[in-house]
Amino acid sequence: NAGVMQNPRHLVRRRGQEARLRCSPMKGHSHVYWYRQLPEEGLKFMVYLQKENIIDESGMPKERFSAEFPKEGPSILRIQQVVRGDSAAYFCASSPRSWQSSYEQYFGPGTRLTVT
Amino acid sequence: GENVEQHPSTLSVQEGDSAVIKCTYSDSASNYFPWYKQELGKGPQLIIDIRSNVGEKKDQRIAVTLNKTAKHFSLHITETQPEDSAVYFCAASTGYSTLTFGKGTMLLVSP
């Protein structure tokens, strides 16, 4: 059973460009969370999605950031007009939300975004 | 919202010693407390978790304890090995909600 997949693993963008980060959850998981990790800090929640729905986006900046999880295909975190402060590791986690194991979140390897 | 404090920020032990990492949380509604291990350049790996209806849980060399009254929980690693060296994160949530993480503990196990 493959784990959470994220691509690309490393992404370099110049200031003002767009960054698209992709996340494929574990098989059978229909809930996806995005977290951001700044150097030497813990992970900060950004957005929680279910298929075709945004459940909670309270941690996501109001401007330039958006996320989706379509019926088919991976979840996408999109950052428009990137700035140097967006440089960080972005992690996706998925959860089964089954009644037996509703709470566990399993993380992908992350995408390390560098803005030059 | 929830706030999770984690101590210490770094912990150095000799191989074979025990290591203890402590976390406190602020939201009394939190009922799920996972621990993650993150190695350099990798994503966090869930190593153990505990729910609020349980006071202690063990899995081989690792154990987690929870004190709901005091709002703190701890990770215990016995017989540490060099491969235990990593950053460990505690987290808290109200189950179906998102995780709030501590800032992490870098554990160094010297041979």
Side-chain angles (χ1 to χ4, degrees):
Chain A
N1 186 15
V4 177
M5 309 284 283
Q6 288 189 251
N7 67 81
R9 295 292 308 276
H10 300 273
L11 183 60
V12 179
R13 284 288 179 265
R14 292 181 179 172
R15 279 179 295 170
Q17 290 185 321
E18 178 180 287
R20 280 185 180 238
L21 288 61
R22 295 174 182 78
C23 169
S24 296
M26 290 177 70
K27 186 177 181 180
H29 290 195
S30 59
H31 297 257
V32 165
Y33 304 78
W34 286 92
Y35 293 83
R36 177 164 63 178
Q37 185 175 37
L38 294 170
E40 299 184 7
E41 287 198 15
L43 292 92
K44 302 289 187 183
F45 164 73
M46 297 182 74
V47 61
Y48 165 28
L49 309 106
Q50 195 178 350
K51 287 279 188 181
E52 299 185 281
N53 283 308
I54 296 176
I55 307 300
D56 181 354
E57 56 182 349
S58 60
M60 198 155 68
K62 295 288 187 288
E63 297 180 354
R64 303 189 297 108
F65 286 73
S66 62
E68 62 176 5
F69 190 15
K71 186 176 180 181
E72 301 291 337
S75 175
I76 306 287
L77 179 67
R78 182 184 179 202
I79 311 173
Q80 295 178 288
Q81 299 173 356
V82 296
V83 300
R84 286 200 172 138
D86 297 332
S87 295
Y90 292 82
F91 291 95
C92 165
S94 73
S95 176
R97 288 290 299 270
S98 65
W99 68 270
Q100 297 98 329
S101 57
S102 300
Y103 302 168
E104 289 85 353
Q105 294 185 26
Y106 299 93
F107 283 78
T111 294
R112 281 147 185 86
L113 172 65
T114 302
V115 180
T116 62
Chain B
E2 176 65 276
N3 182 50
V4 176
E5 299 285 339
Q6 183 172 348
H7 300 279
S9 56
T10 59
L11 179 60
S12 294
V13 300
Q14 292 289 319
E15 183 176 1
D17 288 349
S18 294
V20 180
I21 303 170
K22 298 182 179 181
C23 289
T24 60
Y25 62 99
S26 61
D27 188 350
S28 57
S30 289
N31 60 357
Y32 175 63
F33 307 93
W35 286 88
Y36 287 84
K37 175 184 180 183
Q38 186 177 27
E39 297 176 326
L40 193 63
K42 297 185 178 180
Q45 175 192 2
L46 179 65
I47 57 172
I48 194 167
D49 57 11
I50 192 167
R51 304 191 185 189
S52 59
N53 58 347
V54 176
E56 183 176 3
K57 184 177 178 181
K58 289 182 179 180
D59 183 3
Q60 299 183 338
R61 295 187 297 110
I62 60 173
V64 58
T65 58
L66 171 65
N67 183 327
K68 285 186 62 180
T69 303
K71 294 184 193 169
H72 66 71
F73 56 112
S74 301
L75 177 71
H76 304 252
I77 306 174
T78 59
E79 301 174 17
T80 54
Q81 301 167 3
E83 51 265 39
D84 293 329
S85 295
V87 179
Y88 290 80
F89 292 98
C90 63
S93 83
T94 55
Y96 291 123
S97 71
T98 64
L99 295 171
T100 300
F101 284 85
K103 290 195 172 183
T105 296
M106 179 177 288
L107 174 64
L108 300 172
V109 181
S110 303

